[in-house]
Amino acid sequence: MPGAREGPPLPMRPVLGEAGIVLAAIERQRMVPARTDLLRQGETPAVAHILLTGHTCRFRTLRDGRRQILAILVPGDLCDLEAVLGARADYGVSALTACTVGEIPCRRLADDTDAAMRAALWRHLLQDAAIAREWLVGMGRRNAQERLAHLFCELRVRLEAVGLAGTDFYETRITQVELADALGLTSVHVNRTLQELREAGLIRLANGRLTILDVPALERLAGFDPAYLRPGRALPEAERISLTSPPAAWR
Amino acid sequence: MPGAREGPPLPMRPVLGEAGIVLAAIERQRMVPARTDLLRQGETPAVAHILLTGHTCRFRTLRDGRRQILAILVPGDLCDLEAVLGARADYGVSALTACTVGEIPCRRLADDTDAAMRAALWRHLLQDAAIAREWLVGMGRRNAQERLAHLFCELRVRLEAVGLAGTDFYETRITQVELADALGLTSVHVNRTLQELREAGLIRLANGRLTILDVPALERLAGFDPAYLRPGRALPEAERISLTSPPAAWR
DNA sequence: CGAACCGTTGATCTCGTTCAAGGCGTGTGG
DNA sequence: CCACACGCCTTGAACGAGATCAACGGTTCG
């Protein structure tokens, strides 16, 4: 287990915040290696994937090869939103690391009789939209340093919410190419910007672990306000569910 | 009526595609002048606004004044999504032009017993998310010409869907500053890029009317594929509803 | 052992920004 | 009715953040 090698250990049972009700609908669990496609651009999802361990992303590839990552997904996230409506997805979903995913039949998601499911999906989708908006702000109005810093802050909060990050560090095996595709930059420039953040004493990133050396400073630089990551109405503690088993592998 | 001055007239009764069921829930109708705030950043919407005529936008303003438009809304669109959950909105909503908006009480949107309403909202929200993703692709991987062209193509299709655009033109009083804020550019550069598009014989934009002189060429330049604007499952024609009265004013 | 992937660095270029100014149309108050 | 302000569009000149092109070293893996 890579997390045990350095720094304090992470909680053994990640809490999948909003996803509690959704988790109960998982019919089958599957492990997939990194770079596996879970959904191809333009297809209609046959099942919905909920991520249990690892990272996936939604992405778009343009005809000429330019690629844009549209979302980075962490455990507890629903990968293919259009599954709810049985609609075509304009994006692909791909595993950034080795992952375990839960499969949920579309008819369970669309189940009209399950009010709890509906509410969970709503919250999920709205949160998803809020994150997309925040990325939009970043791409439009933030420079490379701010974008990178903001993404790191966002991932920290999202991972912490499911017990996969400490207050100042988390595991991530995201590459610089992937960061570039997520932030609308080139990998060359990501590399240089990372160096600036390192030299400024803000972060350490090596061996699949990001450590934020100065959380307030990084958040200030990023203009980070975690409000958009909080679900609108507070969720009663009882609704939060833990996985029954620790994650088999994070990478 | 500005549309009658030049070119063929637009249909008198815009069809508000998906929004049929939602329209029926309107309790009150309101006219607001341009630049009115319908929702302020950080507030929880008290009522949901559905746009009936004119344009509004969702936007974010950063502390230092940088502004990013997150969505441009056209008749039939729901302005404040978080109204469904009674959640705080991380964005503001503002009228780009004079508008008429329908107000829907939040409880009607969240009404658990109304399956048709739920389905309509789902489709709406997914479409909203699809548009946001497309913008994300543009901001990350398209240059100024492509972005501008893509936005023009998108608005044409969306407006045509509600009967407010012909096959190659529509009314829009959006300013260059607003275009810049939507596309993550400066108004200076938008101005120059617009000139390039004009000189290339692709568009004409004056007096609140955009004419696309060569639709296929513009779509090719933009890399535009309208698939993301189509609802997943085809909607039976019967579900499409017309307004009972023509729009009082578009500007 | 070679291929592929990833991070790194340097040199150069360019797209879009910044700063500054002027013109035009419209509304407004003296 | 004119003066003035303001919003919007336009233009020029200089600058800079990030892209592009090219190359190299380290690690992993077949």
Side-chain angles (χ1 to χ4, degrees), chain B residues 90-110:
Chain B
D90 52 280
Y91 52 83
V93 175
S94 176
L96 292 175
T97 65
C99 296
T100 59
V101 293
E103 294 185 351
I104 302 179
C106 292
R107 67 199 100 259
R108 283 289 289 114
L109 285 187

Side-chain angles (χ1 to χ4, degrees), chain A residues 229-250:
Chain A
L229 294 174
R230 287 197 280 266
R233 279 186 295 209
L235 206 55
E237 191 62 26
E239 280 192 51
R240 304 183 56 160
I241 290 200
S242 295
L243 280 179
T244 49
S245 57
W250 283 325

Side-chain angles (χ1 to χ4, degrees), chain B residues 209-228:
Chain B
R209 162 170 298 224
L210 176 80
T211 308
I212 303 179
L213 301 173
D214 188 340
V215 175
L218 193 70
E219 294 189 342
R220 216 175 315 120
L221 169 62
F224 180 74
D225 174 0
Y228 72 103

Side-chain angles (χ1 to χ4, degrees), chain A residues 51 135 193 202:
Chain A
L51 188 56
W135 283 36
T193 308
L202 292 172

Side-chain angles (χ1 to χ4, degrees), chain B residues 35 175-177 188 191-192 195 198:
Chain B
R35 281 137 191 267
T175 69
Q176 295 182 2
V177 173
V188 172
N191 182 290
R192 287 172 178 146
Q195 289 177 45
R198 277 193 272 248

